[in-house]
Amino acid sequence: MKSDSLLLANIGQLLTMTGDGLGIVENAWVQIEEGRVSDVGQVDSRFQVSDSEVVDCRGCVVLPGFVDPHTHLVFGGWRAHEFEQRLLGKTYKEIAQTGGGILFTVKATRAASEDELYEHALARLREMSAWGTTTVEVKSGYGLDTESELKMLRVARRLGEAGIATVVPTFMGAHSVPEGLDKPSYVRLVIEQMLPKVAEDRLARFCDVFCESIAFSPEETVQILEAGKRYGLLPTVHADEIDSSGGAEVAAQVGAVSASHLLRPSDEGLRQMAEKGVVAVLLPGTCFFLREQHKPPVARMRELGITMALATDFNPGSCTMLAQPLTLQLVCIHYGLTIVEALRGVTVNAARALRLESEIGTIEPGKRADIVITDVPDYRHLAYRFGHNPCRLVLRHGSIVNRPAA
């Protein structure tokens, strides 16, 4: 459905996500004009149906479209065999050290054509949209040579052009060190060859680095991210997932927009993140999928006032979940976030993790009309009904792009 003027009527609970909470408006309506929210209100005796096309929301919850600020959506092949190995007792680190993990996916991604990568990623994006995601970050990082990294980022650009969701591309050439190169040589390749081409072709908005003992040191991470900044790319970091790697400190040092994972950050690193306003992107689906018992220090993040966003971390090895509603359910159950924190984490805070909070993440006049119309009567059901897809209609820029439920 495409209409320049749309009225969402009979909304039981509208979660505007404005202010510090959910910004709930009961018995509400939303007016959309030319893809943006033009007005929001509450039904009263003066309310009149406009000449717009009307969508009956059936007394259910309406909220901003979900934002997923950390995914690895583009890749070749799957790694189901590694999933089985983990169930039999092998760790992520052990699998990676024997040629599995990222390097396994690199081989499959290099071998795949751009069209093949696009078709597979497009199917995944459609599934994400069916679960209410209207904006998604997409990383490279499974190419680890210049042409393959550029190929992945071109696929990300094509995904955005498909019109299903807004795609935010991230260059992550520093995901691992490819076979045949030592780390210093590869860092030089990333900085001297990859970054200039990415910038020249305008293929990415962010630059990310896997700052871990099995990947890149804090010093190498800073070197790459500072180079990315010189090319106009915003920094973000994979930080403190496997070990206390100093990733949180690096994120603060380079002025990163966000840092992801954060299972084992130092307290000093968290203090520095709080001072610099770095958003913490939590990935509970990855912990669940890997059966990781260690959890991020959520209580300390609350104390320090760190903004917490949530993402799926969809990838072929450590989390194959595409649904942000499941992320918010897992983070409440596994990490102990409140329902309000979780809902903010997949909307307005996730938008902040992508520096898009001026455009998306809330429902208020002037913002893009990226909106999910649910089939649930109360916002608590979004966390309570585990595994349920609550999305009845998904709007992107005021147009219905998905009707997941009958």
Side-chain angles (χ1 to χ4, degrees):
M1 180 190 296
K2 185 173 179 63
S3 174
D4 290 338
S5 182
L6 200 65
L7 176 69
L8 307 185
N10 191 21
I11 301 171
Q13 286 182 338
L14 176 66
L15 312 185
T16 66
M17 310 310 296
T18 55
D20 296 328
L22 300 181
I24 296 177
V25 181
E26 305 275 357
N27 195 21
W29 52 267
V30 175
Q31 182 71 52
I32 297 168
E33 303 285 348
E34 297 183 348
R36 291 186 179 267
V37 175
S38 60
D39 204 0
V40 175
Q42 196 169 29
V43 175
D44 57 26
S45 59
R46 297 165 294 171
F47 175 74
Q48 294 183 352
V49 175
S50 69
D51 294 331
S52 308
E53 186 169 358
V54 178
V55 174
D56 182 357
C57 298
R58 304 179 185 177
C60 292
V61 173
V62 171
L63 73 162
F66 299 124
V67 180
D68 193 339
H70 183 129
T71 82
H72 303 260
L73 196 65
V74 178
F75 59 85
W78 289 95
R79 301 203 322 249
H81 62 289
E82 293 183 7
F83 176 71
E84 183 179 41
Q85 288 173 12
R86 283 198 302 273
L87 293 178
L88 294 173
K90 282 198 174 183
T91 66
Y92 179 93
K93 197 170 184 178
E94 287 171 341
I95 292 169
Q97 289 171 339
T98 56
I102 292 168
L103 294 181
F104 182 90
T105 302
V106 168
K107 292 176 183 176
T109 303
R110 287 178 176 178
S113 71
E114 184 173 320
D115 285 343
E116 287 171 334
L117 292 174
Y118 173 72
E119 290 302 324
H120 290 306
L122 184 63
R124 297 167 195 143
L125 186 63
R126 287 195 175 110
E127 185 176 340
M128 287 184 135
S129 175
W131 282 90
T133 294
T134 53
T135 299
V136 57
E137 185 259 17
V138 176
K139 302 180 190 294
S140 68
Y142 291 129
L144 305 189
D145 63 38
T146 302
E147 181 47 43
S148 299
E149 287 293 307
L150 296 176
K151 176 174 67 174
M152 292 185 70
L153 290 171
R154 288 194 298 269
V155 170
R157 179 163 61 190
R158 289 173 64 183
L159 291 173
E161 292 168 351
I164 298 168
T166 300
V167 173
V168 180
T170 294
F171 167 64
M172 197 179 178
H175 198 187
S176 185
V177 179
E179 294 175 338
L181 283 179
D182 58 47
K183 205 190 301 186
S185 298
Y186 187 63
V187 169
R188 286 195 299 273
L189 180 68
V190 170
I191 293 173
E192 296 173 8
Q193 291 189 30
M194 294 187 189
L195 277 169
K197 279 298 291 179
V198 170
E200 179 185 341
D201 296 345
R202 298 182 180 180
L203 288 172
R205 175 173 167 82
F206 286 88
C207 181
D208 195 354
V209 177
F210 192 16
C211 183
E212 285 290 347
S213 59
I214 64 169
F216 297 90
S217 70
E219 295 75 20
E220 292 159 342
T221 301
V222 169
Q223 189 181 357
I224 294 165
L225 292 177
E226 289 293 349
K229 286 165 65 175
R230 292 194 292 273
Y231 284 104
L233 300 182
L234 297 169
T236 183
V237 188
H238 275 57
D240 303 309
E241 177 189 7
I242 298 169
D243 299 299
S244 186
S245 60
E249 289 90 338
V250 166
Q253 180 181 341
V254 301
V257 177
S258 67
S260 295
H261 290 290
L262 297 168
L263 299 185
R264 297 168 173 85
S266 70
D267 193 68
E268 178 57 29
L270 289 179
R271 287 176 180 273
Q272 292 179 21
M273 280 181 56
E275 289 174 6
K276 294 296 182 68
V278 180
V279 177
V281 179
L282 308 183
L283 310 170
T286 305
C287 283
F288 177 78
F289 200 80
L290 294 177
R291 299 190 295 180
E292 169 66 63
Q293 297 304 308
H294 210 90
K295 301 173 186 177
V298 167
R300 185 62 174 144
M301 291 178 185
R302 281 196 197 105
E303 286 178 17
L304 293 168
I306 294 174
T307 297
M308 292 182 284
L310 306 177
T312 60
D313 190 24
F314 173 79
N315 70 84
S318 58
C319 187
T320 56
M321 181 179 72
L322 288 159
Q324 277 291 63
L326 298 183
T327 302
L328 78 86
Q329 291 165 357
L330 287 173
V331 86
C332 291
I333 295 166
H334 194 50
Y335 285 3
L337 265 67
T338 67
I339 297 176
V340 172
E341 288 173 329
L343 283 166
R344 290 185 65 81
V346 295
T347 54
V348 61
N349 290 352
R352 287 173 184 161
L354 297 177
R355 285 270 177 91
L356 290 175
E357 65 270 29
S358 65
E359 286 287 306
I360 59 173
T362 61
I363 298 176
E364 55 186 319
K367 292 286 188 76
R368 292 182 197 165
D370 291 358
I371 294 171
V372 172
I373 300 166
T374 77
D375 63 3
V376 298
D378 182 276
Y379 74 87
R380 299 169 186 86
H381 284 243
L382 294 168
Y384 163 62
R385 294 180 61 183
F386 191 79
H388 172 66
N389 183 353
C391 305
R392 185 169 68 83
L393 294 174
V394 181
L395 278 65
R396 176 180 177 266
H397 297 187
S399 298
I400 294 175
V401 292
N402 225 310
R403 298 175 182 267

